[in-house]
Amino acid sequence: MDSPEITRGERGGSQTTRAVMQLREMLFSGEIPPGTRLSELALVERLGMSRTPVRTALTMLAEEGLVQAIGTGGFSARSFSERDVNDAIELRGTLEGLAARFAAERGISTIAGQMLGDLLARLDEVVTAPTLDADVMEQYIELNARFHREIIRLAESRVVERQIERVMALPFASPSAFVMAQSRCEDARNVLVISQDQHRAVVEAIIGREGTRAEALMREHSRVARRNLGQAVRSREALEQVPGGKLIQFDRYGEE
Amino acid sequence: MDSPEITRGERGGSQTTRAVMQLREMLFSGEIPPGTRLSELALVERLGMSRTPVRTALTMLAEEGLVQAIGTGGFSARSFSERDVNDAIELRGTLEGLAARFAAERGISTIAGQMLGDLLARLDEVVTAPTLDADVMEQYIELNARFHREIIRLAESRVVERQIERVMALPFASPSAFVMAQSRCEDARNVLVISQDQHRAVVEAIIGREGTRAEALMREHSRVARRNLGQAVRSREALEQVPGGKLIQFDRYGEE
DNA sequence: GGGAACTTTAATGTATACATAAAGGAAGGA
DNA sequence: TCCTTCCTTTATGTATACATTAAAGTTCCC
């Protein structure tokens, strides 16, 4: 139990790995539209491999929630409603909030505190950049993702970590999923400033061992991701900027 | 998206279904001890089927978190520490808390409220039974599980529902996992009384649309499951009463 | 004696063939 | 014309064979 969590699909350059990655990409890009049935034989042709790794990949993607097993056999590509997106983000925030509370309750080392401080400083540089061009936003996304990963790691809970990974298999649930879409809004800078303030406050709460505060802040932080979500989901142009945007069918709002 | 979630292993009487169920049982019973490597060929002999469904089953059980893929190939049976158990229960409480909040915020129908009321009445009967014998406890477990399922359903969130299912794939994380073990403690009746009081309060909060209250209560409710967890985990006799008890290695406490 | 390199064996990944089940179409009857 | 039943086709589940890789064992050199 000492090596990082490894999934089957992550081992080397195997056919199964290829299948998982390519199918993911096809789902995310809309090449496989939400709701469509996935025919093994068609995928075999498309991916240029035998049925076995394709089947394994489909089984794994089903567990990721990107495809769904059909009762009579086979799989179909899942679609997600605006509510699903909202709930997934709320769910991630809830789990990351739990992680932040654990980190605060369990305490972190001085070194970890310094590492977080460094991260915050780098995020500060990005957030205060003169213009928020694509390069700056990419840097923000990278650092933001790293910040989130570190918080989760500092919770020192395999169970929680694993659970968060599962939520994040849905790309629109990731911490930076809407950053690019938001960067087009006129309050883009404000959103980054607020987010960064929350980052800073979370770290302060963790170091200060204020579990409840850390959790509440981390949860609220995930909600920043949802600013302008409504208009982002309904704008085709903005939706192009959202990872996994093609999985979302906004006319399925509220439908269960 | 109108049928209940179906996993590959749940389709009919297939070999894969058999393999998943039998492997689960072997893991839960300790027939496959935690940490041991799972050899495909040995399992093929043991389960009396070809490698294909065995491999599929292992892939699925890996996603359930019961087995772990090894980087160089194959799988091993996972072991869980006392911290894992604690964290899994806390995690379930957190997610059920979120579900309860959703239910409260989104509102439930009059019929659903009555259904919950009926459930509470039946739970009352069980909790006030003259003696807490095995039959009574089984009834409690059944009704308790049903109560939890209904709360989750009333959240009307596929994403959250799915996530909770994933947590509950670890049997010791289920709402009634420690009920039988607790029934041997001298405060068994008190635990049931407190739990039922919380059930009632959660329903009240949901109907009253008090999201924060519902969430907090539901989270605290999961903690009742942890009463006497320490001694339950360390007592071999009590651990026999815990679903998935064999997965737990209490001498791995805190080890990451 | 210990470590490195090589060889052999065993296990896992993949491809393919066979078996089974589901879906679709056609024909017949009401 | 519509519904039911039957047959055919197609897709998926499973078994088996082949290919590749990892692990174990042996030999040689320092």
Side-chain angles (χ1 to χ4, degrees):
Chain A
M1 304 294 291
D2 46 359
S3 57
E5 182 72 21
I6 294 165
T7 61
R8 283 290 299 283
E10 288 172 12
R11 275 185 294 195
S14 72
Q15 296 284 71
T16 301
T17 304
R18 274 188 59 225
V20 169
M21 291 170 73
Q22 286 184 28
L23 284 172
R24 264 207 212 108
E25 183 50 40
M26 287 156 76
L27 291 160
F28 292 172
S29 69
E31 188 178 336
I32 297 175
T36 61
R37 182 170 183 130
L38 301 171
S39 150
E40 284 181 12
L41 294 185
L43 294 179
V44 161
E45 288 201 25
R46 223 134 127 183
L47 300 180
M49 64 183 73
S50 76
R51 281 173 60 208
T52 313
V54 169
R55 296 173 60 79
T56 303
L58 288 171
T59 300
M60 294 168 71
L61 290 167
E63 288 296 330
E64 286 185 21
L66 295 172
V67 304
Q68 178 178 26
I70 298 170
T72 51
F75 298 86
S76 64
R78 262 228 169 105
S79 68
F80 296 88
S81 63
E82 193 177 341
R83 171 174 279 203
D84 291 332
V85 175
N86 268 292
D87 289 358
I89 293 167
E90 184 75 17
L91 179 58
R92 172 179 59 84
T94 299
L95 293 174
E96 284 183 335
L98 178 61
R101 174 157 70 82
F102 275 0
E105 288 174 350
R106 294 169 180 178
I108 63 172
S109 68
T110 306
I111 292 176
Q114 282 166 356
M115 178 271 300
L116 288 176
D118 291 347
L119 256 190
L120 286 177
R122 293 175 62 187
L123 277 162
D124 274 334
E125 284 174 28
V126 174
V127 169
T128 53
T131 57
L132 301 180
D133 58 29
D135 187 54
V136 167
M137 297 313 296
E138 288 289 348
Q139 282 181 60
Y140 179 79
I141 286 168
E142 152 73 33
L143 291 168
N144 187 45
R146 196 147 145 229
F147 179 82
H148 283 254
R149 276 199 307 271
E150 289 298 333
I151 298 291
I152 293 160
R153 197 176 57 80
L154 291 171
E156 296 190 343
S157 168
R158 290 180 306 184
V159 171
V160 172
E161 188 169 347
R162 172 105 181 89
Q163 201 70 0
I164 294 175
E165 279 166 18
R166 281 163 156 163
V167 177
M168 299 232 218
L170 304 179
F172 49 75
S174 75
S176 308
F178 286 82
V179 170
M180 274 301 181
Q182 286 169 335
S183 71
R184 295 163 159 270
C185 302
E186 44 182 46
D187 63 344
R189 170 96 54 187
N190 289 349
V191 170
L192 292 193
V193 167
I194 291 161
S195 284
Q196 177 62 352
D197 192 63
Q198 287 169 339
H199 288 156
R200 190 170 295 282
V202 166
V203 171
E204 187 178 296
I206 288 173
I207 290 171
R209 312 204 67 157
E210 302 173 282
T212 306
R213 183 174 171 228
E215 182 172 27
L217 281 162
M218 203 68 194
R219 287 175 90 166
E220 186 57 32
H221 177 54
S222 77
R223 292 220 174 95
V224 179
R226 289 165 50 190
R227 303 243 172 147
N228 308 314
L229 172 64
Q231 77 192 65
V233 166
R234 287 183 167 79
S235 146
R236 288 258 175 230
E237 192 180 1
L239 210 51
E240 296 281 343
Q241 306 276 338
V242 176
K246 288 285 169 41
L247 304 173
I248 304 164
Q249 295 194 319
F250 56 88
D251 57 356
R252 295 182 60 94
Y253 179 77
E255 179 180 329
E256 305 290 345
Chain B
M1 306 290 291
D2 46 358
S3 57
E5 182 73 20
I6 292 165
T7 62
R8 286 287 303 285
E10 287 172 11
R11 275 184 295 196
S14 69
Q15 295 285 68
T16 301
T17 304
R18 272 189 59 225
V20 169
M21 291 169 74
Q22 285 184 30
L23 284 172
R24 264 205 212 110
E25 183 50 42
M26 287 156 77
L27 290 160
F28 292 172
S29 71
E31 190 179 334
I32 298 175
T36 62
R37 180 170 184 129
L38 301 170
S39 150
E40 283 181 14
L41 294 186
L43 293 179
V44 159
E45 287 200 26
R46 222 133 130 186
L47 299 180
M49 64 183 74
S50 76
R51 281 173 59 210
T52 312
V54 170
R55 295 174 61 77
T56 303
L58 287 170
T59 299
M60 292 167 74
L61 290 168
E63 288 296 329
E64 286 186 20
L66 294 171
V67 304
Q68 179 179 24
I70 298 169
T72 51
F75 297 86
S76 64
R78 261 228 169 105
S79 68
F80 296 89
S81 63
E82 193 178 339
R83 171 175 279 204
D84 291 331
V85 175
N86 267 291
D87 290 357
I89 292 166
E90 184 73 17
L91 179 58
R92 173 180 59 85
T94 299
L95 293 174
E96 283 183 334
L98 179 60
R101 175 159 69 82
F102 275 0
E105 289 174 351
R106 293 168 183 180
I108 63 172
S109 67
T110 305
I111 293 177
Q114 282 166 357
M115 177 272 299
L116 288 176
D118 291 345
L119 256 190
L120 287 176
R122 292 175 64 187
L123 277 162
D124 274 334
E125 283 174 32
V126 174
V127 168
T128 52
T131 56
L132 301 180
D133 58 31
D135 188 53
V136 169
M137 297 313 295
E138 289 289 348
Q139 282 181 60
Y140 178 79
I141 286 167
E142 152 74 35
L143 290 167
N144 187 45
R146 197 148 142 227
F147 178 82
H148 283 255
R149 277 199 306 270
E150 289 298 333
I151 298 291
I152 293 159
R153 197 176 58 80
L154 291 171
E156 295 189 348
S157 168
R158 289 181 305 183
V159 171
V160 171
E161 187 169 348
R162 172 105 182 86
Q163 202 71 359
I164 294 174
E165 280 166 17
R166 280 165 155 160
V167 177
M168 300 229 216
L170 304 178
F172 49 75
S174 76
S176 307
F178 286 81
V179 169
M180 275 302 184
Q182 287 169 336
S183 72
R184 295 164 157 264
C185 303
E186 45 182 46
D187 63 344
R189 170 100 50 191
N190 288 349
V191 170
L192 292 194
V193 168
I194 290 161
S195 284
Q196 176 63 353
D197 192 63
Q198 288 169 336
H199 287 155
R200 190 171 296 281
V202 166
V203 171
E204 188 178 294
I206 287 173
I207 289 171
R209 309 201 72 154
E210 305 173 283
T212 306
R213 182 173 172 229
E215 182 172 27
L217 280 162
M218 202 69 195
R219 288 176 86 165
E220 185 59 30
H221 178 53
S222 78
R223 292 218 176 96
V224 178
R226 288 164 49 190
R227 302 237 171 155
N228 307 314
L229 171 66
Q231 76 192 64
V233 167
R234 287 183 167 78
S235 146
R236 289 258 176 225
E237 192 182 1
L239 210 49
E240 297 283 341
Q241 306 276 337
V242 176
K246 287 287 169 43
L247 304 172
I248 304 165
Q249 295 193 320
F250 56 85
D251 57 357
R252 295 181 59 96
Y253 180 76
E255 179 181 327
E256 303 292 346

